[in-house]
């Protein structure tokens, strides 16, 4: 099959790879996507997938790159170190990873290991997360921040962490938690380290803007903050208050909002210090964004600043306020989770079929002698389309198609004529779309034609399990073929998953100027065709649902080596059907017993031969232990 040659630079531009990848992915000259975690190290994603398929592993497949995670920890920490050196800042910086973003073992342990050099800590928002964090081997100075609402058990576990010698700070999310912390600490004989989340008036920008401001779910207002100070002073424990914590939301798109919030937080810090509180840490919270669409704007899927600009503005703003007030500059803490984890994971999904209106052949159904006039009218419109009349023809065709369906509903049109009429209508749309493609102005009623005519590429995955944020809050993720990027893509497409749900589709795609309703893909040619969905390392692992009982996918942990080689360090199999069924309250033994009884009755009634009964039982057992996604395609 002949393919139109396509420069790799054009493919990279089409899919926006240089803009959203932060340098971690690139398009090679032979049209493949490579991961590039460090200079001199690279791995071709298609080669990794081919190796796993040759080993008999199934897709969909999640590729994790631990070197990318480690690189993000270094980049963030070094960005702050650089800013601190440039401005002569008297304090230091310590990062904290909020594990709610992704609690998977590989993620947490990789970040903890990479953070040893920088005293990177962890943040827990529940007792289970705290139990996980306490077990990690962290730098002695690394913070272990306990956020979220707390009961006695949560506080006890945190205080035992301090007894172990860990730098555990209990963040007060509401005023009443102070009594609990004081009571439990006295019972255990442990002096706590306390932080306070303060509700800033400033708010973030983007989808999570409402999580900050005066009406935020967590945090104390100014009056409550002063009550905490007074109570601790009264208890002779004012030195236990070591951290002021502020947070204005996730994925903050506008750097100006960050600077305003940091200034307000620092003014609060200054007032507390001037009032006798010897705070050590100023925690500016999370919100460091990820540029999902590469546009570098304030659009909700982007951010108008770089990681270095973020660090510089935070350091400069805190220093400016502290110097003016002649107050000691604090240790800066940030809780960046999305920015650390998003880049390290790529979901690879195989295209298993293609459907759509352009796949229909109008002349496969021949006109019959008794063909209805409405079908003949549509055929006439198809033959008469020109640049002069395409708009009029389009509007006439839409009206005729409505009439076509009304006639069928009333019994005046045969199924054959309906099928032929619909096929001709689709051909009209395709012809109109080709005519207007190069025009400087496209009429409003024709703007949606590419989406209407787009092919549906059916992909073997579950949107609800693997990309819940795309379904729930319309988060955009970059999507790119893993190979054939040296061939010009010619098919406008949307993606659909294999769930029995009409919401299981992706029909919005990244673009530097807007949101696209279709994605350019290659015409199927009989070879396996894999799509990579990128920047999905944050939240998707932990928010996925078991809709249709599709479980977690297989995953491979991949290390890039010199010379474009790779090593698969670990392969983790996805969930089996049995596990998902048991999660719904069923027991495997009960299921097998029920099937066994029904098979026995069917065999006794002569509906199944002994051989068929045995084969049915074996098939049932195999599927209980099998991958939940489609196999042997």
């Amino acid at each position: 099959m002949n393919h139109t040659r396509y420069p790799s630079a054009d493919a990279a531009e089409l899919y926006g790879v240089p803009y959203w990848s932060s340098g971690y992915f690139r398009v090679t000259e032979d049209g493949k996507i490579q991961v590039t975690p460090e200079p001199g190290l690279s791995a071709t994603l298609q080669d990794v997938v081919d190796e796993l398929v040759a080993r008999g592993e199934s897709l969909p497949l999640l590729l994790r790159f631990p070197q990318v995670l480690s690189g993000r920890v270094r980049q963030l920490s070094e960005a702050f170190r650089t800013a601190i050196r440039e401005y002569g800042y008297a304090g230091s910086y310590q990062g904290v990873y909020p594990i709610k973003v992704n609690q998977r073992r590989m993620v947490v342990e990789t970040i903890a290991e990479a953070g040893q050099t920088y005293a990177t800590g962890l943040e827990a928002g529940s007792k289970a997360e705290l139990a996980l964090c306490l077990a990690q081997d962290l730098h002695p100075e690394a913070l272990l921040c306990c956020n979220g609402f707390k009961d006695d058990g949560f506080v006890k576990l945190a205080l035992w962490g301090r007894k172990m010698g860990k730098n555990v700070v209990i963040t007060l999310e509401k005023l009443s938690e102070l009594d609990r912390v004081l009571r439990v600490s006295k019972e255990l004989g442990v002096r706590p380290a306390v932080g306070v989340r303060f509700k800033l008036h400033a708010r973030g920008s983007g989808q999570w803007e409402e999580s900050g401001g005066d009406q935020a779910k967590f945090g104390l207002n100014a009056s409550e903050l002063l009550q905490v100070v007074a109570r601790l002073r009264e208890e002779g424990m004012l030195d236990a208050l070591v951290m002021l914590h502020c947070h204005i939301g996730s994925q903050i798109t506008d750097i100006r909002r960050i600077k305003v919030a940091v200034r307000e937080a620092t003014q609060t810090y200054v007032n507390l210090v001037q009032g006798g509180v010897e705070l050590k840490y100023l925690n500016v919270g999370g919100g460091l964004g990820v540029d999902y669409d590469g546009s570098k704007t304030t659009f909700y899927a982007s951010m108008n600043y770089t990681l270095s600009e973020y660090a510089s503005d935070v350091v400069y703003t805190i220093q400016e306020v502290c110097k003016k007030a002649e107050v000691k500059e604090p240790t800066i803490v940030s809780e960046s989770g999305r920015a650390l984890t998003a880049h390290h994971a790529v979901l690879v999904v195989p295209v298993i079929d293609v459907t759509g209106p352009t796949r229909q052949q109008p002349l496969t159904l021949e006109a019959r002698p008794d063909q209805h006039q409405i079908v003949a009218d549509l055929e006439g419109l198809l033959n008469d389309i020109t640049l002069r009349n395409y708009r009029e023809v389009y509007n006439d065709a839409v009206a005729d198609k409505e009439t076509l369906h009304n006639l069928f509903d009333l019994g005046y049109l045969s199924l054959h004529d309906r099928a032929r009429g619909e096929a001709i209508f689709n051909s009209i749309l395709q012809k109109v779309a080709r005519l207007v493609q190069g025009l400087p102005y496209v009429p409003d009623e024709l703007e949606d034609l590419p989406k209407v005519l787009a092919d549906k590429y059916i992909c073997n995955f579950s949107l609800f399990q693997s990309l819940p944020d795309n379904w729930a809050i319309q988060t955009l993720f970059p999507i790119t073929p893993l190979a054939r990027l040296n061939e010009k893509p010619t098919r406008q497409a949307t993606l659909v998953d294999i769930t029995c749900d009409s919401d299981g589709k992706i029909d919005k795609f990244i673009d530097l100027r807007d949101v696209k309703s279709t994605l350019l893909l290659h015409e199927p040619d009989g070879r396996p065709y894999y799509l990579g969905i990128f920047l999905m390392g944050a939240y998707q692992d932990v928010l996925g649902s078991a809709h249709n009982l599709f479980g977690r996918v297989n995953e491979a942990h991949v290390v890039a080596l010199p010379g474009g080689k790779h090593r698969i360090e670990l392969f983790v199999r996805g969930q089996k059907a049995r596990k998902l069924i048991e999660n719904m309250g069923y027991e495997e033994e009960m299921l097998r017993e029920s099937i066994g009884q029904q098979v026995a009755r069917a065999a006794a009634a002569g509906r199944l031969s002994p051989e068929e009964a045995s084969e049915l039982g074996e098939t049932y057992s195999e599927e209980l232990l099998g991958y939940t996604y489609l196999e042997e395609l």
Side-chain angles (χ1 to χ4, degrees):
M1 182 179 292
N2 293 323
H3 300 289
T4 304
R5 301 301 296 175
Y6 196 54
S8 61
D10 289 358
E13 186 74 20
L14 173 65
Y15 296 108
V17 178
Y19 307 110
W20 53 255
S21 69
S22 298
Y24 289 115
F25 298 94
R26 70 184 184 95
V27 180
T28 63
E29 288 301 317
D30 60 348
K32 296 179 180 179
I33 292 284
Q34 276 191 340
V35 62
T36 54
E38 297 176 27
L41 302 180
S42 62
T44 302
L45 271 59
Q46 179 81 30
D47 292 349
V48 176
V49 175
D50 288 345
E51 177 182 334
L52 289 166
V53 170
R55 283 167 37 174
E57 307 297 352
S58 299
L59 279 73
L61 171 71
L62 190 69
L63 299 180
R64 296 192 191 275
F65 300 101
Q67 293 158 305
V68 174
L69 272 176
S70 299
R72 293 300 284 178
V73 173
R74 287 194 300 272
Q75 278 194 348
L76 178 60
S77 300
E78 290 295 341
F80 272 97
R81 284 188 173 186
T82 299
I84 286 169
R85 285 195 302 269
E86 287 181 354
Y87 293 118
Y89 186 83
S92 60
Y93 168 78
Q94 288 183 233
V96 169
Y97 170 59
I99 71 168
K100 68 180 181 182
V101 175
N102 195 325
Q103 300 101 333
R104 298 289 284 172
R105 179 178 177 180
M106 174 268 197
V107 175
V108 176
E109 291 184 351
T110 300
I111 290 175
E113 182 180 353
Q116 284 280 353
T117 304
Y118 304 101
T120 301
L122 302 174
E123 180 266 320
S126 68
K127 287 183 284 188
E129 287 189 344
L130 178 55
L132 192 159
C133 290
L134 286 172
Q136 303 307 308
D137 183 19
L138 302 176
H139 186 282
E141 297 296 320
L143 285 159
L144 207 169
C145 296
C146 299
N147 297 348
F149 298 130
K150 303 165 193 71
D151 61 7
D152 282 11
F154 197 152
V155 174
K156 284 181 181 178
L157 197 56
L159 292 171
W160 279 116
R162 286 196 68 78
K163 276 255 189 182
M164 292 167 60
K166 292 182 178 290
N167 191 11
V168 180
V169 176
I170 302 174
T171 304
L172 304 180
E173 303 283 9
K174 54 181 180 175
L175 183 60
S176 61
E177 287 185 347
L178 178 58
D179 287 335
R180 187 185 303 277
V181 172
L182 292 175
R183 173 175 54 80
V184 176
S185 64
K186 289 175 182 177
E187 292 172 0
L188 294 181
V190 181
R191 195 167 186 83
V194 176
V196 177
R197 189 197 294 251
F198 179 58
K199 284 185 180 179
L200 298 177
H201 176 69
R203 294 165 64 167
S205 58
Q207 285 182 300
W208 288 273
E209 181 177 340
E210 298 299 323
S211 65
D214 298 330
Q215 302 303 315
K217 175 181 176 181
F218 297 105
L220 284 66
N221 59 31
S223 175
E224 292 170 327
L225 177 58
L226 292 175
Q227 290 180 62
V228 168
V229 172
R231 177 68 186 283
L232 288 173
R233 181 177 280 120
E234 179 185 312
E235 295 281 344
M237 296 180 62
L238 191 56
D239 61 333
L241 183 54
V242 299
M243 178 184 289
L244 179 69
H245 179 194
C246 305
H247 179 69
I248 59 170
S250 179
Q251 183 63 17
I252 301 171
T253 61
D254 191 348
I255 190 64
R256 292 173 299 177
R257 300 288 189 96
I258 294 173
K259 290 190 284 189
V260 168
V262 170
R263 182 172 296 277
E264 183 184 350
T266 310
Q267 289 288 3
T268 307
Y269 163 83
V270 163
N271 273 263
L272 290 173
V273 173
Q274 290 174 335
V277 183
E278 296 183 7
L279 289 170
K280 179 177 181 181
Y281 305 102
L282 176 56
N283 188 336
V284 298
L288 175 57
V290 169
D291 197 356
Y292 288 94
D293 70 0
S295 65
K296 294 178 173 54
T297 65
T298 59
F299 182 58
Y300 79 92
S302 187
M303 53 192 272
N304 67 354
Y305 56 95
T306 65
L307 191 153
S308 295
E309 289 167 348
Y310 169 80
S312 293
D313 283 347
V314 169
V315 171
Y316 176 81
T317 303
I318 294 175
Q319 183 184 55
E320 182 185 36
V321 175
C322 287
K323 276 191 172 181
K324 183 177 180 181
E326 298 182 347
V327 165
K328 179 182 177 182
E329 294 161 7
T331 297
I332 301 171
V333 177
S334 72
E335 297 184 358
S336 300
R338 184 188 301 272
L340 290 184
T341 60
H343 297 79
H344 92 278
V346 181
L347 179 69
V348 178
V349 299
V351 174
I352 59 175
D353 203 355
V354 181
T355 65
T358 62
R359 302 285 160 176
Q360 299 180 24
Q361 299 296 324
L363 300 182
T364 55
L365 294 173
E366 296 182 359
R368 291 177 173 174
D370 60 347
Q371 174 176 273
H372 197 283
Q373 184 59 43
I374 194 68
V375 181
D377 291 346
L378 282 166
E379 198 162 9
L381 291 173
L382 175 62
N383 296 327
D384 290 342
I385 301 174
T386 67
L387 267 176
R388 291 179 178 273
N389 69 358
Y390 70 88
R391 194 170 183 179
E392 178 185 355
V393 167
Y394 170 80
N395 290 321
D396 287 347
V398 170
D400 283 353
K401 183 170 181 281
E402 185 68 23
T403 301
L404 182 90
H405 287 150
N406 289 335
L407 289 170
F408 181 80
D409 291 346
L410 294 171
Y412 296 124
L413 193 76
S414 70
L415 183 60
H416 182 279
D417 279 356
R418 171 177 170 165
R420 181 170 170 78
E422 288 176 346
I424 294 171
F425 177 77
N426 286 334
S427 294
I428 292 172
L429 296 188
Q430 293 174 56
K431 195 169 183 179
V432 170
R434 287 193 295 271
L435 285 172
V436 303
Q437 194 171 19
L439 297 181
Y441 166 74
V442 177
D444 291 346
E445 65 266 33
L446 301 179
E447 284 184 348
D448 287 337
L449 264 187
K451 183 176 180 180
V452 172
L453 292 172
D455 293 326
K456 290 180 173 59
Y457 276 53
I458 302 171
C459 300
N460 187 15
F461 83 113
S462 164
L463 185 76
F464 308 94
Q465 170 59 231
S466 294
L467 289 173
D469 274 353
N470 181 270
W471 167 71
I473 55 176
Q474 288 74 58
T475 297
L476 299 176
F477 294 91
I479 302 174
T480 304
L482 297 191
R484 296 182 63 184
L485 295 172
N486 55 353
E487 303 171 20
K488 187 176 179 62
T490 59
R491 308 301 301 186
Q492 297 285 352
T494 60
L495 309 182
V496 296
D497 70 5
I498 57 171
T499 65
C500 294
D501 196 308
S502 58
D503 280 348
K505 62 183 178 181
I506 302 177
D507 56 7
K508 291 182 175 63
F509 304 91
I510 66 164
D511 185 71
L512 290 181
R513 289 163 291 278
D514 201 355
V515 176
K516 296 189 295 189
S517 59
T518 61
L519 181 70
L520 266 174
L521 295 176
H522 301 89
E523 178 72 35
D525 65 355
R527 295 177 291 173
Y529 190 59
Y530 304 126
L531 302 180
I533 305 177
F534 294 79
L535 302 188
M536 55 164 295
Y539 293 103
Q540 306 318 294
D541 282 294
V542 297
L543 293 177
S545 74
H547 189 17
N548 275 157
L549 296 188
F550 287 111
R552 286 199 309 270
V553 304
N554 292 331
E555 63 179 65
H557 303 173
V558 184
V559 173
L561 303 172
K565 305 297 183 181
H566 67 267
R567 180 177 71 250
I568 298 173
E569 281 201 328
L570 181 67
F571 187 83
V572 182
R573 300 198 182 282
Q575 289 177 308
K576 297 178 180 179
R578 175 183 61 185
K579 180 65 175 177
L580 290 161
I581 293 171
E582 288 176 344
N583 288 343
M584 297 297 125
Y586 301 92
E587 296 178 3
E588 182 185 0
E589 184 178 346
M590 177 194 70
L591 295 174
R592 291 182 183 277
E593 183 178 338
S594 176
I595 287 294
Q597 292 172 353
Q598 293 181 62
V599 167
R601 288 198 296 268
R607 291 192 297 273
L608 292 174
S609 69
E611 293 78 13
E612 290 172 330
S614 176
E615 184 177 349
L616 192 159
E618 290 176 4
T619 300
Y620 186 81
S621 295
E622 288 174 2
E623 293 306 320
L624 275 181
L625 299 174
Y627 199 29
T628 57
Y629 295 88
L630 302 182
E631 299 177 276
E632 300 175 7
L633 298 171

